[in-house]
Amino acid sequence: MTYTVEKIGGTSMSRVNELTETLFIPNGVLDDIYGRIFVVSAFGGITNLLLEHKKTGESGVYARFADADNDHGWHDALSRVAIEMQKAHAAVLDHSADVAQADAFVSERIAGARNCLTDLQRLCSYGHFRLAEHMLHIRELLSGLGEAHSAFVTSLMLQRRGVSARFVDLSGWRDQGEVSLDERIMTAMKDVDPATEMPIVTGYAQCTEGLMQEFDRGYSEVTFSRMAALLHAREAIIHKEFHLSSADPKLVGAGVARKLGHTNYDVADQMSNMGMEAIHPKAAKTLRQADVPLRVVNCFDPADPGTLIDDRPAESAAVEMITGLDIVALELFEQDMVGVKGYDATILDVLTRHGVRIVSKTSNANTITHYLDASLKTMRRVERDLAERYSGAEVSARPLSMASIIGRDLRGLSVLTKGLQALANSGMACLGASQGPRNVDVQFILERDDLQPAIKALHKQLIEGVTPTLKQVA
């Protein structure tokens, strides 16, 4: 029997009870529900409380522990996590015995984490031990709490409904040994039979590679993709609360945005570069190399096959998606740059040191411009470092936005020209535009306030005005 490995994100997990008779037990019939392995994220908002808020940066337990002047900050934050976890599972469990089990699980895990942090704090009060050396391990420990909780609760919920669900904990809780990610997955799955039971697996996996060091909060997709590759899954499936569409339906209109239906990993990478991840690029690489196709579906629209992502090229040229993000343009101008080597390497070193993600770049004889996904606060530090290195240069950072047209094959469509015309006709000035020879994306640099109007104008010109030619893959 071949299996599917399926991932459910945090927002959908917060409504996991609504998925019982659509995703887990279609139409409430227990026949033919197995052969599926589910990898789950933490309930929505829990990881923000454990680490820090992904969008606002508000401190969670991890950040408060790292900056603790006293014990009260992180202790209170951890207590808040326990309360919110209990609220989350109370909202999806409908039997008092299950709620009691989930409460006990949360209490045991939170108490264990609290004792661990307290002991580490006490140990590091001695000069021979440095807290900074342990912070990555603390970040991983805290992250694992969220996924362990959601996987345990989901298992309880399904068992109550007659499903042979098994909680598979990859978080390494109280595990004495050190193992690789592959060993962690294969050991946990050794005695599991997906043909007769439904594994509910934690999205976080403790391993010697240290998932958070490289992937930070993208670790659940790495676990998901590696499991699909190791188990030779027939298909990897990501359940989201929306379809992959030609643009944000909230922006261009739900009846106007088109479901992609079929695309490839190249387009998925371009989407990720624009901050609109269908899947983490490293996870996509794992699936692509293992020849496992990926399907992205709307878990609240179970009858729709969603969008298939594989390695196949497009059958015909077409624009598939219009998207965009806010960026910061970092410009370094020095009149004497022409013919001198080393500027690029120095800038890259500074950006890497500050953890800044590069979206795109342009250069000419005496100017290098990087378009970056970073806060202005971080950019001030970058500017300062570059000004010290190149005292005669003009270094500036400016908030802008980037709109992007993406497709597997844009050849012969005059997308750059038509895009510039659409923007001009809508009264917007394009500050820069670029198209590479591979013809998979075109980028337009705009003022911040012009991003949403630009996406709507480009979508209207290049997608709404074109008859669909992409096949919808079942």
Side-chain angles (χ1 to χ4, degrees):
M1 183 177 183
T2 55
Y3 312 126
T4 58
V5 176
E6 312 188 21
K7 179 185 176 295
I8 307 175
T11 305
S12 301
M13 283 300 299
S14 295
R15 300 168 59 188
V16 70
N17 56 321
E18 299 176 35
L19 301 177
T20 304
E21 294 190 1
T22 56
L23 176 59
F24 297 111
I25 316 172
N27 302 315
V29 179
L30 290 171
D31 296 336
D32 198 28
I33 64 170
Y34 298 108
R36 298 178 295 162
I37 300 166
F38 288 94
V39 178
V40 300
S41 297
F43 289 113
I46 295 298
T47 305
N48 286 339
L49 296 175
L50 286 164
L51 303 179
E52 65 283 318
H53 197 287
K54 193 173 184 178
K55 293 182 178 179
T56 68
E58 181 183 353
S59 295
V61 179
Y62 171 82
R64 289 175 183 272
F65 183 78
D67 301 330
D69 294 325
N70 56 65
D71 292 345
H72 298 295
W74 71 263
H75 272 291
D76 292 345
L78 193 58
S79 297
R80 182 185 174 194
V81 169
I83 293 170
E84 294 303 320
M85 282 182 168
Q86 290 170 339
K87 287 181 181 178
H89 66 238
V92 300
L93 297 174
D94 53 17
H95 196 284
S96 59
D98 296 336
V99 173
Q101 280 195 68
D103 285 345
F105 182 89
V106 168
S107 297
E108 190 264 337
R109 294 286 173 121
I110 292 293
R114 193 186 302 276
N115 290 337
C116 178
L117 296 184
T118 300
D119 290 344
L120 181 60
Q121 197 171 48
R122 186 181 301 115
L123 181 67
C124 291
S125 66
Y126 294 88
H128 296 79
F129 302 94
R130 297 288 180 269
L131 185 60
E133 297 174 2
H134 303 281
M135 288 310 299
L136 184 60
H137 298 299
I138 292 300
R139 191 169 179 84
E140 297 224 3
L141 170 73
L142 292 170
S143 295
L145 295 177
E147 273 80 12
H149 170 239
S150 62
F152 181 77
V153 169
T154 303
S155 300
L156 287 177
M157 182 193 74
L158 293 174
Q159 289 165 5
R160 179 64 58 182
R161 286 162 174 78
V163 178
S164 180
R166 182 192 285 215
F167 169 47
V168 180
D169 189 359
L170 303 182
S171 70
W173 184 252
R174 297 190 180 279
D175 193 332
Q176 299 299 313
E178 291 193 4
V179 297
S180 68
L181 176 59
D182 288 4
E183 290 171 324
R184 175 73 66 191
I185 291 172
M186 296 308 291
T187 300
M189 295 297 294
K190 181 176 61 176
D191 299 322
V192 177
D193 181 11
T196 59
E197 55 188 336
M198 187 178 290
I200 309 297
V201 187
T202 59
Y204 168 75
Q206 192 278 330
C207 57
T208 53
E209 294 94 326
L211 293 185
M212 296 208 73
Q213 183 170 359
E214 183 173 359
F215 307 107
D216 199 51
R217 291 172 68 164
Y219 56 80
S220 63
E221 291 186 355
V222 176
T223 303
F224 153 77
S225 63
R226 193 64 197 145
M227 178 168 281
L230 287 172
L231 300 180
H232 308 290
R234 181 180 75 252
E235 201 169 72
I237 302 174
I238 293 181
H239 297 274
K240 294 183 176 289
E241 64 276 12
F242 52 81
H243 285 297
L244 283 186
S245 302
S246 56
D248 183 352
K250 295 178 182 177
L251 180 59
V252 301
V256 175
R258 296 176 182 170
K259 186 190 71 174
L260 296 191
H262 185 207
T263 191
N264 64 13
Y265 284 116
D266 198 349
V267 167
D269 287 344
Q270 306 311 321
M271 292 167 58
S272 176
N273 188 50
M274 296 302 295
M276 186 183 175
E277 284 193 1
I279 186 171
H280 192 284
K282 294 293 180 67
K285 177 182 177 181
T286 297
L287 294 174
R288 177 169 46 80
Q289 291 181 341
D291 198 26
V292 176
L294 170 68
R295 190 178 296 275
V296 180
V297 301
N298 183 338
C299 57
F300 299 104
D301 187 8
D304 195 294
T307 295
L308 183 69
I309 301 175
D310 56 22
D311 237 358
R312 287 191 288 166
E315 295 181 4
S316 60
V319 173
E320 297 182 44
M321 175 175 286
I322 313 291
T323 187
L325 80 166
D326 289 337
I327 57 170
V328 177
L330 174 68
E331 185 175 274
L332 187 145
F333 164 78
E334 185 160 26
Q335 196 72 59
D336 300 327
M337 181 188 299
V338 61
V340 179
K341 297 180 180 179
Y343 284 87
D344 263 332
T346 300
I347 296 171
L348 287 174
D349 178 65
V350 171
L351 294 176
T352 301
R353 192 163 64 248
H354 288 281
V356 177
R357 187 176 75 86
I358 300 171
V359 179
S360 185
K361 65 168 285 189
T362 60
S363 64
N364 59 26
N366 52 26
T367 307
I368 299 175
T369 304
H370 283 83
Y371 300 113
L372 309 169
D373 183 9
S375 67
L376 286 174
K377 181 179 179 181
T378 300
M379 293 311 303
R380 296 293 173 250
R381 302 190 190 108
V382 171
E383 285 183 87
R384 193 161 53 244
D385 285 0
L386 289 174
E388 290 176 1
R389 178 63 180 82
Y390 297 112
S391 57
E394 295 179 17
V395 182
S396 62
R398 177 182 176 186
L400 295 171
S401 66
M402 177 184 289
S404 182
I405 300 169
I406 301 172
R408 285 171 287 175
D409 183 2
L410 301 177
R411 288 176 297 179
L413 300 178
S414 302
V415 171
L416 179 60
T417 301
K418 291 178 180 178
L420 289 170
Q421 289 173 343
L423 295 174
N425 291 341
S426 297
M428 285 172 277
C430 184
L431 306 178
S434 64
Q435 179 174 10
R438 289 195 59 246
N439 287 294
V440 293
D441 73 322
V442 177
Q443 298 173 342
F444 301 94
I445 307 302
L446 306 146
E447 297 289 353
R448 278 275 173 101
D449 293 342
D450 287 339
L451 179 58
Q452 291 191 0
I455 291 174
K456 289 197 286 188
L458 293 170
H459 192 273
K460 185 174 182 178
Q461 172 75 23
L462 295 164
I463 292 182
E464 295 169 46
V466 178
T467 301
T469 58
L470 297 178
K471 291 185 178 180
Q472 303 301 299
V473 179

